[in-house]
Structure formats: C-alpha cells, structure tokens
Amino acid sequence: MKVIGGSASKLLTQQLIEQPGFEAVDMVTKRFPDTEFYVKINEDLAEEDIVIIQTTYPDENLIELFLLQDAVSRLNPGSITTIVPYFGYARQDKEFTNGEAVSARNLAKHIGLLSDKLYTIDIHNISIMDAFGKDAVNLSGMPAIGEYLANEDVDAILSPDKGSKDRAALAAKSAGCGWDFLEKTRVDGSTVEMKPKNLDVDGKTVAIVDDIIATGGTIIKAAEQLRSQGAKRVIAACTHGLYTGGSIPKLKGSCDLLFSTDTLESETSKISMASIIANALTQ
Ligand code: R5P
C-alpha cells in the first residue's frame, strides 16, 4: 500500500512504511510565507490503494489533511483510507448547551467525504464514528499500553471514571493484572475523594490509563488521591498525550512514570501504533 503521512504524523508514518507491504508516496509539501499549505504528488496513483495518515490537531493539521485528500483524489486512486491517529475536537461530541456546534460530528463528516474507509484510535466517544459517513473503525492503544505496563509489574490498572472503565479492562487484559475505576465521592463542600471502586491500592503499583491527557488535572488529582490511599508507585499512561499548557513537568512531578503512544508525537511517546495500524490495514 502507498502511504502519505501528514506533518502531524511523521514518526508514525516512518514506522508504518518500515512494515512489510507499505511504501511512501513521492510528494512535495511546503508552507507559503503566509503559512498556507501546499502539496504536489509526484506519482501516478491511478488504481492504487492509498493510505493517508494525519492527526488533526491543531487546526492547521486538519486543513493539511483536507488538501492531502484532495491531491490524492484527483489522481484517480483505487481507494483512499484515511487514518486519523488523534482526532481533534473529539470531546465536543454533543450539544452541551443549545446553540453550540457539535464539532466532532461536523469534522468527522468532512474528513469522511474524500475517504473510502477511515480509522481512528481511541476516539473519545465511539458514538461519533457514524458521523464519518463511511466504513469507520476505531482501533485501541490500550492493549499495547497494557503490554508496556506488564514490564512495570503493575498490580492494577485504573480508569479515572466509570465511563472509561473498558479502556482499563482492555489494558489490564494485556498486562495480566487487575483493573478498576475511580469513583468520586463528595466528602464536604470543597472536597471530592477519588477512590478505586473495589480495589485496595495500599502498598501497590497502580497505573491510571486515559484516552487523553490534556492539562493533566485529572491524572494529578487521581495520583494524589492514590498516594494518600497508600499506593507505592503511580504510573500514568494515555493514548493521546496532548499536554496542554506544557503539563509534562507537572505530570512527571506527580507520577513515577508517564508515557503515551505516538498518535501525538512527544517526549512521552514510548509506544508506536504503527504495527496495530499495519495489522488493521492488511487483515
Ligand atoms: C475526559 O473525558 C477525558 O477522557 C480525559 O480524562 C480528559 O480529557 C483529561 O483532561 P485533563 O488532562 O485536562 O484533566
């Protein structure tokens, strides 16, 4: 398969084309002095199956994806598969208040227009997959995160809330350990306690797994609480390390280990999603 990697997913694309059966498309990209994006594909892609990989965060990378799709579609390919490793705007997945844009569904619809098939990875809310309007599959980084955690001798994997417990369960299955979710209880007007629903963490090594770490607030609060309940080591792992406001130092100060996948490329990207994507594309 021929692969086009956008600038937000360079490392992941590099890892993918190192897998058997994948090769990079010859193309030129640049930014004009006003920062607008330009792409020219230098190959005949007629009847070829093309894979485009691009994380759509921040906004400029979404525009880049649209233009990559446009350039490919003009060359009469056999098919276009779009892979969005981190789908930006995923958390604006419903009209929380009347009058708001439902950003996730709107962007999914537009990304789907020039695609025959799509893949996302640990999308925040699976219910928006139908908005792509095409065959769209959500892959997960949680089994790979679990495998990584197996080498850290974790006793339990926790999700920050009940709604994301399936991710903890999936990671724990690969790690071969127990799992639970953190339950919030209001203690008084200003105190909320976060505690595993069933497990006792006293003296244990625990990992909190989440789809996204942004400000780090959720993880830092959870780590603080777990330590006060006696946890010996607290590890934080996520699929998408967004780290808004430069939250890595604060997170590192609060957790014994912090890591993520390469859906968003950063110093914490210890796990590549390339082989998972390659398997999905070739099965
Ligand atoms: C929330 O629903 C998400 O799954 C994450 O828990 C959230 O985005 C983390 O955000 P932050 O790092 O800012 O607490």
Side-chain angles (χ1 to χ4, degrees), residues 134-155:
K134 302 282 170 64
D135 183 9
V137 176
N138 184 53
L139 305 173
S140 181
M142 289 298 147
I145 287 175
E147 275 168 35
Y148 194 95
L149 287 171
N151 297 319
E152 294 293 330
D153 289 331
V154 281
D155 297 301

Side-chain angles (χ1 to χ4, degrees), residues 91 124 210-218:
R91 289 173 291 177
H124 182 63
D210 211 346
D211 58 337
I212 306 167
I213 299 180
T215 63
T218 306

Side-chain angles (χ1 to χ4, degrees), residues 91 124 160-161 164 167 210-220 242-244 247 251:
R91 289 173 291 177
H124 182 63
D161 52 45
S164 52
R167 293 196 191 103
D210 211 346
D211 58 337
I212 306 167
I213 299 180
T215 63
T218 306
I219 295 289
I220 291 169
L242 201 55
Y243 306 128
T244 51
S247 54
L251 283 153

